[in-house]
Amino acid sequence: MEMNQVAFNPVDLRNLSLFFNNGGYVMDFSTTEFDDFTESVVGIPITTKYQTSKAKSLNSFFSEANDQEARKLLSALLEYFDNTYRKNSRPQDIDNVKRMDNYYETIVHISNSWNYTPSQDLLSKSSLRSKSLDHQFVRDRLKDLENKMNDDSAFSIGTSKDLLESVMKSILDDAHISYTSEKGRTDDVPALWNKVQTELSLKPKDMPDTPIGKSSKEILSSISKIVIDMDDLRNQYGTGHGRNSSFKPLPIRYGKLTAAMTITLIEFLLDTIESRQSE
């Protein structure tokens, strides 16, 4: 089993522990039954592997396992909870079932979030391919995303930020707008975004005071937050900064989501430019 890309972030792991851990026990499994169950699902008797309680062994597995293996076991455990443990609970299990029900929706959300898996086709089929981007760096980064978005979340996050930054600089270059200070310092991503918004009249205040305009204001405000958060995300979890040995990348799905949002945002910016030119 590959361990290089963990499946769950710290918040996910905490919620999983709150759901499954009942004083070291996991539902009504004995140690032998739990080993047999996990081995049948992912090929690993995890209490034997980790030499600790069932709940702690499960948490250790979720902390290390890659997306595919961790989600496979989580899905099987949820199915067991729904179809066996909850339905056929013994009198001594009723309180634990009620306790687990308090976290159930959160755990289902964690499990279902993995179903968002935009593939490489998302980028290769994107209409961004048809845009007139005569910027070799942008084309190279787009190709890099196609090749690695399913394998390396840190690369996807870092490259998405670089791609968006390059496109925004290209837009400002075309508009003859400087993004370099008098001291020669290049604007960061939030500052670039602010100038692009101004140039393309995409600030919330630019929207008309109509029902559609009000909705547009909310969308544009949300986009601004995404751009700023993307810059922070890259600083913490993307490529481009030296990492120590304790660094753990985010699950693959977060890299895919970042890449998908970046491509969509870039398409929106370029479509806005085309729309302005045709007016």
Side-chain angles (χ1 to χ4, degrees), residues 58-78:
L58 182 60
N59 190 62
S60 295
F61 177 81
F62 282 152
S63 298
E64 295 181 353
N66 61 36
D67 265 352
Q68 183 177 2
E69 298 294 344
R71 303 291 174 164
K72 188 175 181 181
L73 182 56
L74 175 57
S75 178
L77 286 168
L78 279 174

Side-chain angles (χ1 to χ4, degrees), residues 237-248:
Y237 293 105
T239 52
H241 293 280
R243 304 297 183 188
N244 60 32
S245 59
S246 65
F247 172 73
K248 286 188 176 181

Side-chain angles (χ1 to χ4, degrees), residues 22-58:
N22 181 31
Y25 293 94
V26 175
M27 292 183 275
D28 58 354
F29 288 104
S30 69
T31 299
T32 299
E33 289 171 340
F34 196 55
D35 266 355
D36 289 344
F37 183 89
T38 61
E39 186 170 22
S40 70
V41 176
V42 294
I44 300 172
I46 64 174
T47 55
T48 298
K49 174 180 173 63
Y50 293 105
Q51 291 295 300
T52 185
S53 70
K54 294 181 285 291
K56 288 183 178 179
S57 295
L58 182 60

Side-chain angles (χ1 to χ4, degrees), residues 179-209:
Y179 44 82
T180 305
S181 69
E182 293 180 358
K183 295 183 179 181
R185 184 174 181 177
T186 302
D187 288 344
D188 59 13
V189 167
L192 290 170
W193 172 245
N194 183 57
K195 289 181 177 180
V196 167
Q197 278 188 298
T198 299
E199 167 60 18
L200 301 183
S201 299
L202 291 176
K203 286 185 173 293
K205 67 179 181 63
D206 297 323
M207 298 299 105
D209 190 19

Side-chain angles (χ1 to χ4, degrees), residues 5 137 141 144-145 148-149 151-163 165 189 230-244 247-250 255 258:
Q5 190 78 35
F137 181 84
R141 294 295 76 74
D144 288 341
L145 275 178
K148 296 185 179 181
M149 69 181 293
D151 303 313
D152 188 337
S153 68
F155 182 88
S156 295
I157 291 167
T159 301
S160 294
K161 181 262 185 182
D162 291 344
L163 180 59
E165 185 175 10
V189 167
M230 186 184 299
D231 193 43
D232 292 338
L233 187 69
R234 182 262 187 180
N235 291 336
Q236 296 183 57
Y237 293 105
T239 52
H241 293 280
R243 304 297 183 188
N244 60 32
F247 172 73
K248 286 188 176 181
L250 289 176
T258 303

